[in-house]
Amino acid sequence: MYIYYLVPLSSIICFVLGILWYSPFLLGNLWQKEVTLRESTKVLRGRAFVGSFLMMNVMAWGMSWLLEKLYINTYFEGALFGWQIGALFVGTSMATNYLYQNKIILWVIDGTYQILCMGVMGAIIAGLKD
């Protein structure tokens, strides 16, 4: 049974995870150094926050659809499936772009976050839907 609040719930949790992941307490300082943010681009953060949250909802909806089609119904199976999707599709796609830019450290930071986020989404959606 599909429960509609799980998509935004998993998106909110991943968004909060991203706030922590990219904070100065974890990898924020290294990330900012690697992307070389200028003061003029920092103004666009509000738009980036809204856009990234919308994209997280799209990913969560897609994850929900796949989990339903594949009859994945437990926290563990959902997390494992999410990590696999994150590593095999999202991470590798990001790697292609970052390799051309010679931004390997940035790929490790961003790719690891996306893999972790996909696992969290999978666990929440699969584990709480019944």
Side-chain angles (χ1 to χ4, degrees):
M1 180 170 100
Y2 183 80
I3 301 183
Y4 292 97
Y5 73 87
L6 295 177
V7 167
L9 175 66
S10 65
S11 299
I12 290 167
I13 291 172
C14 281
F15 192 79
V16 170
L17 179 64
I19 290 170
L20 295 172
W21 190 262
Y22 293 103
S23 74
F25 303 112
L26 291 177
L27 299 168
N29 293 331
L30 179 60
W31 181 81
Q32 283 189 0
K33 182 180 137 206
E34 289 295 316
V35 296
T36 59
L37 284 180
R38 285 179 244 136
E39 207 54 45
S40 60
T41 58
K42 291 181 181 179
V43 174
L44 302 175
R45 283 189 181 165
R47 188 174 1 169
F49 283 163
V50 170
S52 65
F53 182 70
L54 290 174
M55 294 302 106
M56 285 178 197
N57 276 284
V58 171
M59 284 193 311
W61 180 84
M63 176 70 71
S64 176
W65 184 81
L66 286 171
L67 292 169
E68 188 73 24
K69 294 294 180 194
L70 297 172
Y71 303 104
I72 296 174
N73 297 313
T74 67
Y75 290 105
F76 178 76
E77 289 174 342
L80 184 62
F81 181 75
W83 290 326
Q84 290 170 337
I85 292 293
L88 298 174
F89 294 99
V90 179
T92 55
S93 176
M94 292 173 71
T96 303
N97 294 327
Y98 285 126
L99 286 170
Y100 280 104
Q101 299 171 36
N102 197 28
K103 298 277 189 178
I104 304 303
I105 293 173
L106 194 56
W107 169 63
V108 170
I109 294 169
D110 292 343
T112 305
Y113 166 70
Q114 289 297 329
I115 293 167
L116 182 64
C117 187
M118 295 297 283
V120 168
M121 280 183 180
I124 290 169
I125 295 168
L128 294 177
K129 71 178 177 182
D130 287 331

